[in-house]
Amino acid sequence: MASCYFLLKQFEDVLIYLNSIKSYFYNEDPFNYNYGQAKAATGSYKEAEEIFLMIQAEKLKSDYVYLGWLARCYIMNRKPRLAWELYLKQETSSESFSLLQLIANDCYKMGQFYYSAKAFDVLERLDPNPEYWEGKRGACIGLFQQIIAGHEPRETLREVLAILRNTGNAQVEYIIRIMKKWAKDNRVTVS
């Protein structure tokens, strides 16, 4: 019955069944693979992360669905660096590109602009889609705002400027000029 609900994407119902049998399958990778997905799909990211990390089978751990859900759990649990490291371990493929899109967008939604900017920067270099520039611009400006508010180290501004310089868009010079002026006014070395 859990499989039926899983296919119907009724994950609350899936969890009713999986919770009732988890004591019998606690160390079973296929069970934890499905259980982790159901937990993540219902927003229980902390539990889902723990469940995914219990999986031992390399075949499952290299599966894009596993990597995508684990990356999302990391991001939702405020560990975007771990999601970025998952991407860095991947070979170039359509799946690594999709993982990069997930990281860029989920980090942006969660206000984790540093890794969002890095991901959008790579995406823009791989595919000159204007949406990637817009995402990168928004993430860099969001990161700049966090630097001004004291939520990110001021030294991060150097990296923001380097990421922005990787763009051929005409808007970039205006944005860089504003950031450099703020840096000068606040005695932040960016050169």
Side-chain angles (χ1 to χ4, degrees), residues 26-44:
Y26 189 72
N27 290 322
E28 297 290 326
D29 285 347
F31 174 81
N32 286 329
Y33 183 78
N34 291 323
Y35 193 44
Q37 287 180 72
K39 283 288 190 181
T42 58
S44 299

Side-chain angles (χ1 to χ4, degrees), residues 7-182:
L7 293 172
L8 294 171
K9 298 182 192 260
Q10 295 175 356
F11 295 105
E12 295 286 346
D13 294 325
V14 169
L15 287 175
I16 291 170
Y17 286 96
L18 296 184
N19 282 329
S20 72
I21 61 169
K22 78 176 178 185
S23 61
Y24 302 105
F25 296 100
Y26 189 72
N27 290 322
E28 297 290 326
D29 285 347
F31 174 81
N32 286 329
Y33 183 78
N34 291 323
Y35 193 44
Q37 287 180 72
K39 283 288 190 181
T42 58
S44 299
Y45 296 108
K46 187 174 186 322
E47 290 177 80
E49 178 186 335
E50 292 168 3
I51 293 164
F52 282 130
L53 292 175
M54 290 173 32
I55 294 173
Q56 299 298 311
E58 286 304 317
K59 184 177 179 189
L60 290 177
K61 289 167 73 172
S62 64
D63 181 71
Y64 170 72
V65 173
Y66 171 86
L67 293 170
W69 277 116
L70 183 58
R72 177 163 283 156
C73 289
Y74 283 149
I75 293 164
M76 297 303 168
N77 292 330
R78 300 231 158 276
K79 301 174 188 175
R81 182 184 55 79
L82 296 175
W84 182 250
E85 288 172 5
L86 282 178
Y87 162 72
L88 293 177
K89 292 176 187 170
Q90 301 304 302
E91 293 181 22
T92 304
S93 68
S94 62
E95 289 180 347
S96 67
F97 189 81
S98 295
L99 184 62
L100 195 56
Q101 289 175 312
L102 182 144
I103 292 168
N105 289 304
D106 280 6
C107 282
Y108 194 97
K109 285 183 221 167
M110 293 298 293
Q112 298 164 354
F113 296 120
Y114 177 73
Y115 288 99
S116 179
K118 287 174 71 109
F120 276 122
D121 183 45
V122 174
L123 286 167
E124 185 189 32
R125 285 188 269 151
L126 292 172
D127 178 7
N129 182 332
E131 288 181 14
Y132 298 140
W133 157 245
E134 291 168 11
K136 180 164 97 170
R137 178 187 62 198
C140 287
I141 291 170
L143 184 54
F144 181 52
Q145 187 176 22
Q146 289 175 335
I147 292 167
I148 291 170
H151 300 299
E152 285 286 335
R154 290 175 162 212
E155 299 76 38
T156 309
L157 189 56
R158 276 191 292 275
E159 263 189 273
V160 173
L161 292 170
I163 289 170
L164 284 169
R165 287 186 182 113
N166 286 334
T167 301
N169 192 295
Q171 296 174 346
V172 81
E173 289 307 317
Y174 177 71
I175 296 167
I176 288 174
R177 196 167 46 249
I178 289 170
M179 290 180 178
K180 281 184 162 184
K181 182 182 179 330
W182 179 87

